[in-house]
mmCIF file of all heavy atoms in Angstrom:
data_model
loop_
_atom_site.group_PDB
_atom_site.id
_atom_site.type_symbol
_atom_site.label_atom_id
_atom_site.label_comp_id
_atom_site.label_asym_id
_atom_site.label_seq_id
_atom_site.Cartn_x
_atom_site.Cartn_y
_atom_site.Cartn_z
ATOM 1 N N GLU A 940 -8.150 1.128 9.675
ATOM 2 C CA GLU A 940 -7.074 0.381 9.022
ATOM 3 C C GLU A 940 -6.072 -0.143 10.050
ATOM 4 O O GLU A 940 -5.579 -1.280 9.947
ATOM 5 C CB GLU A 940 -6.364 1.297 8.024
ATOM 6 C CG GLU A 940 -5.175 0.663 7.304
ATOM 7 C CD GLU A 940 -4.478 1.653 6.386
ATOM 8 O OE1 GLU A 940 -5.135 2.596 5.905
ATOM 9 O OE2 GLU A 940 -3.273 1.481 6.180
ATOM 10 N N LEU A 941 -5.779 0.667 11.074
ATOM 11 C CA LEU A 941 -4.811 0.276 12.100
ATOM 12 C C LEU A 941 -5.417 -0.617 13.166
ATOM 13 O O LEU A 941 -4.707 -1.326 13.883
ATOM 14 C CB LEU A 941 -4.227 1.534 12.759
ATOM 15 C CG LEU A 941 -3.391 2.441 11.853
ATOM 16 C CD1 LEU A 941 -3.041 3.727 12.583
ATOM 17 C CD2 LEU A 941 -2.117 1.735 11.391
ATOM 18 N N GLY A 942 -6.730 -0.552 13.304
ATOM 19 C CA GLY A 942 -7.413 -1.389 14.281
ATOM 20 C C GLY A 942 -7.342 -0.860 15.702
ATOM 21 O O GLY A 942 -7.574 -1.618 16.660
ATOM 22 N N THR A 943 -7.067 0.440 15.850
ATOM 23 C CA THR A 943 -6.982 1.038 17.191
ATOM 24 C C THR A 943 -7.121 2.550 17.087
ATOM 25 O O THR A 943 -6.725 3.149 16.071
ATOM 26 C CB THR A 943 -5.625 0.685 17.863
ATOM 27 O OG1 THR A 943 -5.628 1.167 19.200
ATOM 28 C CG2 THR A 943 -4.467 1.281 17.114
ATOM 29 N N PRO A 944 -7.683 3.203 18.087
ATOM 30 C CA PRO A 944 -7.793 4.668 18.058
ATOM 31 C C PRO A 944 -6.429 5.328 18.266
ATOM 32 O O PRO A 944 -5.560 4.793 18.972
ATOM 33 C CB PRO A 944 -8.749 4.982 19.204
ATOM 34 C CG PRO A 944 -8.628 3.828 20.137
ATOM 35 C CD PRO A 944 -8.360 2.630 19.272
ATOM 36 N N LEU A 945 -6.258 6.494 17.667
ATOM 37 C CA LEU A 945 -5.024 7.257 17.810
ATOM 38 C C LEU A 945 -5.169 8.402 18.807
ATOM 39 O O LEU A 945 -4.162 8.935 19.280
ATOM 40 C CB LEU A 945 -4.585 7.826 16.449
ATOM 41 C CG LEU A 945 -4.275 6.798 15.360
ATOM 42 C CD1 LEU A 945 -3.872 7.505 14.071
ATOM 43 C CD2 LEU A 945 -3.178 5.851 15.813
ATOM 44 N N PHE A 946 -6.419 8.768 19.123
ATOM 45 C CA PHE A 946 -6.657 9.893 20.030
ATOM 46 C C PHE A 946 -7.682 9.536 21.097
ATOM 47 O O PHE A 946 -8.642 8.807 20.828
ATOM 48 C CB PHE A 946 -7.175 11.114 19.257
ATOM 49 C CG PHE A 946 -6.174 11.722 18.311
ATOM 50 C CD1 PHE A 946 -6.121 11.309 16.980
ATOM 51 C CD2 PHE A 946 -5.294 12.714 18.734
ATOM 52 C CE1 PHE A 946 -5.215 11.863 16.099
ATOM 53 C CE2 PHE A 946 -4.383 13.269 17.862
ATOM 54 C CZ PHE A 946 -4.329 12.845 16.546
ATOM 55 N N HIS A 947 -7.460 10.065 22.281
ATOM 56 C CA HIS A 947 -8.503 10.116 23.297
ATOM 57 C C HIS A 947 -9.296 11.384 23.010
ATOM 58 O O HIS A 947 -8.742 12.477 23.006
ATOM 59 C CB HIS A 947 -7.899 10.183 24.704
ATOM 60 C CG HIS A 947 -7.119 8.965 25.085
ATOM 61 N ND1 HIS A 947 -7.704 7.740 25.311
ATOM 62 C CD2 HIS A 947 -5.776 8.801 25.289
ATOM 63 C CE1 HIS A 947 -6.769 6.864 25.638
ATOM 64 N NE2 HIS A 947 -5.594 7.468 25.632
ATOM 65 N N ARG A 948 -10.594 11.251 22.768
ATOM 66 C CA ARG A 948 -11.390 12.379 22.308
ATOM 67 C C ARG A 948 -12.161 13.031 23.460
ATOM 68 O O ARG A 948 -12.706 12.352 24.320
ATOM 69 C CB ARG A 948 -12.365 11.931 21.224
ATOM 70 C CG ARG A 948 -11.692 11.504 19.913
ATOM 71 C CD ARG A 948 -12.558 10.467 19.204
ATOM 72 N NE ARG A 948 -12.233 10.264 17.816
ATOM 73 C CZ ARG A 948 -11.299 9.426 17.379
ATOM 74 N NH1 ARG A 948 -10.559 8.728 18.255
ATOM 75 N NH2 ARG A 948 -11.083 9.275 16.082
ATOM 76 N N SER A 949 -12.216 14.353 23.419
ATOM 77 C CA SER A 949 -13.108 15.106 24.297
ATOM 78 C C SER A 949 -13.509 16.369 23.550
ATOM 79 O O SER A 949 -12.943 16.687 22.499
ATOM 80 C CB SER A 949 -12.423 15.457 25.619
ATOM 81 O OG SER A 949 -11.454 16.467 25.434
ATOM 82 N N ARG A 950 -14.443 17.104 24.090
ATOM 83 C CA ARG A 950 -14.915 18.300 23.388
ATOM 84 C C ARG A 950 -13.826 19.364 23.279
ATOM 85 O O ARG A 950 -13.744 20.080 22.288
ATOM 86 C CB ARG A 950 -16.131 18.892 24.112
ATOM 87 C CG ARG A 950 -17.394 18.037 24.000
ATOM 88 C CD ARG A 950 -18.586 18.736 24.633
ATOM 89 N NE ARG A 950 -18.861 20.023 23.977
ATOM 90 C CZ ARG A 950 -19.753 20.897 24.398
ATOM 91 N NH1 ARG A 950 -20.465 20.638 25.487
ATOM 92 N NH2 ARG A 950 -19.958 22.019 23.747
ATOM 93 N N THR A 951 -13.003 19.483 24.282
ATOM 94 C CA THR A 951 -12.028 20.581 24.314
ATOM 95 C C THR A 951 -10.587 20.149 24.115
ATOM 96 O O THR A 951 -9.736 20.974 23.800
ATOM 97 C CB THR A 951 -12.125 21.333 25.655
ATOM 98 O OG1 THR A 951 -11.894 20.399 26.725
ATOM 99 C CG2 THR A 951 -13.496 21.967 25.833
#
Side-chain angles (χ1 to χ4, degrees):
E940 178 183 333
L941 295 172
T943 186
L945 299 179
F946 293 92
H947 296 291
R948 292 151 164 86
S949 73
R950 290 185 60 187
T951 58

